[in-house]
Amino acid sequence: QVQLVESGGGLVQAGGSLRLACAASGRTFTTYRMGWFRQAPGKERDFVAAISRSGGSTYYADSVKGRFTISRDNAKNTVYLQMNSLKPEDTAVYYCAADRDSDYVFDYWGQGTQVTVSS
């Protein structure tokens, strides 16, 4: 089992940047595909980005391609989400998640961090 703790959320103006971090506990971080999701008020939780266990492959939702970058540092048990050119519609609670079996079923979730983009 892995525990995930997100950080780095906050309030930013449109066009600005934020970097989210997700620290994972345990020694098996490299066995998990990692992902970021977000949930805006009154909406369902949506996929944002994912990264393979080695970090060699990344995947993005169309809405964030070219603006967001997911990365991981396996030595630090941490996954990041660099968010640039932020828009008001990016406002949401952002969640980190871990996929234990590499089947895109995310088994473990963090508590979330709020990102608010003002216009």
Side-chain angles (χ1 to χ4, degrees):
Q1 191 167 357
V2 63
Q3 292 184 330
L4 305 171
V5 179
E6 302 98 333
S7 61
L11 174 64
V12 64
Q13 288 188 333
S17 298
L18 280 176
R19 188 193 196 201
L20 305 183
C22 172
S25 65
R27 300 181 178 180
T28 58
F29 181 69
T30 56
T31 66
Y32 296 100
R33 176 184 288 156
M34 300 298 296
W36 286 97
F37 293 75
R38 66 187 181 186
Q39 187 168 19
K43 296 188 176 181
E44 293 186 351
R45 188 176 298 186
D46 290 331
F47 169 78
V48 174
I51 189 166
S52 63
R53 290 174 290 181
S54 68
S57 298
T58 56
Y59 315 87
Y60 297 95
D62 288 343
S63 58
V64 305
K65 273 181 187 175
R67 300 188 299 121
F68 290 11
T69 302
I70 188 171
S71 62
R72 67 191 295 165
D73 185 337
N74 286 341
K76 295 182 178 180
N77 282 13
T78 302
V79 61
Y80 303 96
L81 186 68
Q82 177 67 43
M83 305 186 294
N84 298 328
S85 302
L86 283 161
K87 306 174 181 180
E89 51 264 44
D90 294 317
T91 295
V93 177
Y94 283 71
Y95 297 90
C96 172
D99 172 6
R100 180 187 57 207
D101 301 316
S102 294
D103 58 0
Y104 282 106
V105 174
F106 286 84
D107 306 280
Y108 306 106
W109 295 81
Q111 82 289 349
T113 185
Q114 177 70 47
V115 171
T116 303
V117 184
S118 63
S119 57

